Amino acid sequence: MLYIPGNNPAMLQHGGIYGADSLLLDLEDAVALNQKDAARILVRNMLQTIDFYNSEVCVRINHLDTPFGREDLEEIVPLQPDAIRYPKTESVEDLRKLLAIIEDIENKHNLPHDKMTIHAMIETAMGVQNVFDIASFSSRVDALTIGGQDLMADMNIKNTKEGTGIDLARKMIVMAAKANGIDAIDTVFVDVNDEEGLKKETEYAKNIGFSGKAVINPRQIDIIHEVFTPTNEEIRKAYRIVKEFKRNKEAGIGVFAIEGKMIDAPVVARAEYVLELAGIDYKNV
Amino acid sequence: MKNVIGRNIPEYINGIGKVEPFLGAWEKLKKGWMDEITVPPPNKAKLPHQCKSCMDLKTAIEKTNPHDGMTVSFHHHLRSGDNILVMTIDILAQMGIKDITLASSSLNNSHDSLLKYLKDGTITKIWTSGLRGELGKAVSEGVLDVPVTIHSHGGRVRAIHTGKIQIDLAVIAASAADEEGNATGAHGKSAFGSMGYARIDSRYAKQVIIVTDNMVEYPCTPTSIQQHYVDYVVKVDSIGDASKIATGTTRITKSPMDLRIAKLAADVIENSGMFTEGFSFQVGAGGASLAVAKFIREKMKKSGVKGSFLLGGVTSYGVDMLNEGLFRAIFDVQSFDAAVSSSILKNRNHIEISSGYYANPYNCGCMTNKLDIVVLGALEIDTDFNVNVITGADGIIRGASGGHSDTASGANLTVVVCPSFRGRIPIIKKRVHTIVTPGETVDVLVTERGICVNPKKPELEESLIKAGLKIKKIEDLQKEVEGITGVEKPIEFTDKIVGIVEYRDGTIIDVIKQVKNAN
């Protein structure tokens, strides 16, 4: 998920070329206070004119407690990007207020309530505490994201390469997302020149259950894809598991072994997920 | 009359003579011998132990019989750090010499101060591969009566061999030389590496002056320029600005856009069928071109594929690949940074070659003919894959033909990399302003918005598609880009021809017209 400052026309017009799964057109932190209206107008126009190719498009609006949030929604919701990202989501109250306004605008424009989704951004200690309720509040919430920088500021802790301070938050967010069957997107890695560090952090994020990671520079995209894309070996292995499972199932066998390792339903489910990531239809293996 | 790719070319141009239209990239070469005569190099003599050293450049020039209408030549290995070309023309102008034909292998911004000599009749004709800055602008606005001739690197050698360019005086800058004129660019404070472009001048010029800021004890090695061609030797304080000689084009770009293009280009190369054991390779310096080398280097390490030789303008990045054993040799006609110089000195597989060896179409096998893969840039490319590397979007001359058409003609796989638009200006057009490299020699275009394969290579398109790469029709990409940028207002030209673009075989592929109301 590539962050693009909403007031940068050059970056916006090229947003779709880098192969990011998702673009985040930012009206919030990447935009200076005196540029808020310019960014809003630019993003509005770009959404109508630029082809972002295969990337999903989200817009991060300003919080409704600021003077800009409401206007952002008025301009952006009618264009129905794939998602609205809501910063500093701390409670279901925040979401209730947000969704009421969104649905009101959608009603005015005769738009459905089930097309554009909401990404709740968790970036305060209070948000982390309430994350399960936030994740389960509405079917429109289809992803949780962690805002590492703001969360560290809120917790008054320093950024470390190991991310020790926000480790609990990361895991709580992932758990809440998994419990509700929605995506969890990890925070950005701020040192764009440290490719090894990015790889390491992305591998960690993947291992604890995140389904993606935000980036601040297109140069970071390939590394993240590399980590999240299953290797040929993983795909081959998953294919074999699913195929063997089917064969055994037909013979009435639920648990079996491949090369001495037990294969049961959870292992099969994991293998099916790997095939899905690789774009292989596991049902027809 | 129209040439074979539909460009209007006059049959005769004042100051140039009868013009032969472009016939197709390989048409003239098919016979295996050429009808043009070869001009003999001059016969010269020196008495035993005669001293060649002169106290300064002016004294040396005075000895070479300077005269009105003379042709003076230079090389461009000093790039934008060059002091010698302007210094020489200043001296000739002070002597009152008029009507000079300037035949530098290329011209750039460091030569801006020559403009006054174009205006006052000191310089009346120019042969060059490239033209930029004030000179490019002034020529485009019609400052000269006779059109400038733009040639390729290989084409320049042919033009000298066939007597189209007859050099009266070659002033050759060297970073090290001895009293007899053995000279090199490989060491010294102003080291610039290969002297590939200057060798032909030393062989064919009636008079040859070596200028150096580093006189070394006899003998100076390697003998890139050999003493038996050299008339005079001059020591100056500085041949150029070392910081501008090494242009810093060897850093891999951090531009996400260039990296994106380069990665796609590397994927194209990997899946083209040419990325096989023993392949030969050339990339330009800087931007997306050099970044392609980065990705190819990674792919070579991963796959274990080893190449045979690297060609061309050489960067320290290429030297690293040689040292890592990824390629067996480098053939170096021009070095892009100082780090390359030491490799020429130390590594016998880093071979300094002349521009004739590199790309002259009129010989039995220039290196470009042996090239498998080349990656080239473009100022503009059109839906017939014709490439412009000489005029900008405003019609002003601001580029260089260089080895573009030479390598495109020779390589089995020619990949052009460029953004689909710059600023608000589309790079992919229905028709380029000026054709330097004909589309029949270009195989693939790679931009940030897609890959386009020349329809004459259906088997290449098929293998790229099989590899999962998305291919667009170039006409569709052109329309897509036009949808973003809008349609450009056409540039207005007068009927005056200010430049002719020679294809490497000496035929005329295009002409450049005078820009109306240039700013």
Side-chain angles (χ1 to χ4, degrees), chain A residues 13-15 17-19 50-51 53-54 193 195 217-219 222, chain B residues 254-257 259-260 263 294 421 423 448-449 470 472 480 484:
Chain A
Q13 72 180 358
H14 293 307
I17 68 171
Y18 300 110
I50 294 293
D51 185 352
Y53 303 107
N54 297 323
N193 292 322
E195 294 187 354
N217 189 303
R219 278 156 48 203
D222 283 346
Chain B
K254 288 191 172 174
S255 151
M257 165 86 86
L259 288 168
R260 171 74 184 159
K263 187 169 183 301
K294 165 187 146 75
F421 60 100
E448 81 289 358
R449 274 164 214 278
K470 285 188 188 134
K472 283 181 181 173
E480 183 183 328
I484 299 169

Side-chain angles (χ1 to χ4, degrees), chain B residues 408-419:
Chain B
S409 138
N412 282 324
L413 176 70
T414 300
V415 182
V416 169
V417 290
C418 60

